[in-house]
Amino acid sequence: MERGTIPASDIPGGLDLQATLESGQSYCWRRTDEMMYAEANPPTGGDWYQTVIRAAASPTDQSEILRVQQGAEGLHWESTTDGAVLARRFLRLDDDLHSIRRKTCSDDLQETAWDAYRGLRLVDGPPFRTLVSFICSSQMRVERIHEMQISLAREYGVDVETEGQTIRTFPTPPRLSAVTESELRELGLGYRAPYVRETAEMVANGTSPKTAMDMAYPDAREWLTQYPGVGPKVADCICLFSLGFTQAVPIDTWIRSAIADHYPSCTHDKYAATSRAIREQLGGDNPASDSSGNVADSYAGYVQTYLFHYLRSRSRG
DNA sequence: CGCCAGGCTAGCG
DNA sequence: CGCTAGCATGGC
């Protein structure tokens, strides 16, 4: 196991690891001491988080895992390989938050959200896991979405051993496609069960969500809706949290009410129209759009993530 | 009990 | 096309 520390001075704009990994944008990391319910075991602030980067493909192959912990000096990591490179990529540590804030922030609400959660970052999640977890997310609370992913790993994943510690992998597409709908319903997935199974089958048969990375953002979002259980909102989550489209603004119930309260002129009947308007509103400089309705690349999705986390936290006390 | 949660789909007009 | 009832589950 290799170990190291990424100095805080090498993380432009800082990092709030807990906010980044527990704000509902990623369900691919687990605290090493996590129990079934996050609320029954609240984070203490210095927790280790871990994820499986790659599961062994054969008995002689070695799996890759990554653990990270926030410390005063910076981000501590442990990994089977170069954890600094992995952490930089998956936690987007090269995003300059100061620069992004300068480019986008345009009103008091946004300033307040940025001030409240300094160091909150977008994540770069694995496409298949992100696809499945956000299919599970529809009409569901953050804590329970996380619990569903833990259940899927427990039932259909495999153990990875690293120096005495065991990590459970998330199931592969073929494994998940072989599960029955009723089994998934018994795990509490509800009406999402057939969506998850059929989507896993599509991916197992070669239709990978990574394909959308090479498309223009509007095409990527539309293409992703071919998976059952994926509509425009879930597609936006996949675009933003795993495919690198920082201009994507997922419009969920929280953001929709925020739009109504703070940006009422952006409200439209159709998702696509509201999406375009709010992306221009939050994107800051350079809001030009072309004839196909594509808003120029921006960091509007970053602003969305700050607003979501801030508004949701405020309402919960 | 009713309402809500990082919504989507099938089936109507 | 656009519109909406129905869909599972658990917490408050």
Side-chain angles (χ1 to χ4, degrees):
Chain A
M1 196 74 75
E2 300 180 32
R3 293 179 176 78
T5 300
I6 299 174
S9 58
D10 286 351
I11 306 175
L15 170 67
D16 182 337
L17 187 61
Q18 180 189 330
T20 298
L21 294 182
E22 300 202 25
S23 59
Q25 51 168 333
S26 174
Y27 302 92
C28 303
W29 293 76
R30 287 185 65 179
R31 269 187 282 131
T32 53
D33 64 340
E34 191 172 67
M35 304 300 183
M36 283 299 290
Y37 292 88
E39 293 183 353
N41 185 25
T44 61
D47 298 288
W48 283 91
Y49 294 83
Q50 63 186 15
T51 191
V52 178
I53 301 295
R54 190 182 62 82
S58 71
T60 56
D61 191 14
Q62 175 164 15
S63 301
E64 295 177 19
I65 67 105
L66 173 64
R67 296 191 185 98
V68 291
Q69 179 201 38
Q70 180 144 31
E73 316 81 17
L75 185 70
H76 305 302
W77 57 264
E78 293 182 5
S79 179
T80 44
T81 176
D82 189 342
V85 169
L86 297 176
R88 281 202 170 278
R89 174 178 163 198
F90 296 116
L91 299 174
R92 299 188 61 112
L93 300 183
D94 292 323
D95 286 342
D96 185 340
L97 300 183
H98 296 308
S99 169
I100 293 169
R101 177 171 179 166
R102 263 200 313 277
K103 277 190 234 176
T104 59
C105 207
S106 58
D107 61 35
D108 288 346
L109 176 67
Q110 294 173 42
E111 298 282 4
T112 304
W114 279 94
D115 283 337
Y117 293 99
R118 291 174 184 274
L120 171 61
R121 288 172 180 278
L122 284 178
V123 294
D124 183 14
F128 177 64
R129 291 185 66 173
T130 304
L131 172 60
V132 170
S133 60
F134 279 95
I135 287 173
C136 291
S137 78
S138 84
Q139 292 295 101
M140 197 50 61
R141 289 184 172 82
V142 168
E143 288 74 14
R144 285 198 57 210
I145 301 164
H146 200 81
E147 187 187 334
M148 288 180 189
Q149 309 315 303
I150 293 173
S151 296
L152 290 173
R154 184 187 66 242
E155 297 298 322
Y156 312 116
V158 297
D159 282 338
V160 167
E161 310 278 350
T162 56
E163 294 186 7
Q165 285 186 301
T166 301
I167 306 184
R168 195 76 175 168
T169 65
F170 191 78
T172 62
R175 179 69 188 93
L176 202 49
S177 68
V179 168
T180 66
E181 175 184 330
S182 62
E183 285 181 273
L184 293 176
R185 285 182 182 271
E186 286 173 18
L187 289 185
L189 295 202
Y191 60 82
R192 305 155 196 80
Y195 302 155
V196 167
R197 200 206 64 74
E198 290 168 21
T199 289
E201 190 166 63
M202 287 176 64
V203 177
N205 288 337
T207 305
S208 169
K210 292 180 190 171
T211 306
M213 277 197 294
D214 298 323
M215 303 176 187
Y217 160 67
D219 299 331
R221 187 177 71 183
E222 173 62 25
W223 187 88
L224 288 167
T225 63
Q226 72 179 291
Y227 295 108
V230 178
K233 186 272 173 184
V234 168
D236 265 335
C237 287
I238 298 162
C239 283
L240 182 60
F241 303 136
S242 82
L243 301 182
F245 291 104
T246 58
Q247 69 269 54
V249 175
I251 303 173
D252 70 327
T253 54
W254 290 95
I255 294 298
R256 192 173 296 282
S257 73
I259 291 172
D261 291 346
H262 300 278
Y263 312 104
S265 68
C266 294
T267 296
H268 295 84
D269 289 339
K270 295 197 304 181
Y271 185 99
T274 305
S275 168
R276 182 176 169 180
I278 195 62
R279 279 183 283 123
E280 290 192 4
Q281 176 71 42
L282 301 183
D285 299 341
N286 202 14
S289 51
D290 63 27
S291 56
S292 68
N294 183 20
V295 179
D297 291 357
S298 75
Y299 287 97
Y302 244 105
V303 183
Q304 183 271 359
T305 293
Y306 273 85
L307 291 179
F308 175 80
H309 192 57
Y310 171 68
L311 296 170
R312 183 166 163 275
S313 300
R314 294 306 302 165
S315 84
R316 294 188 308 172

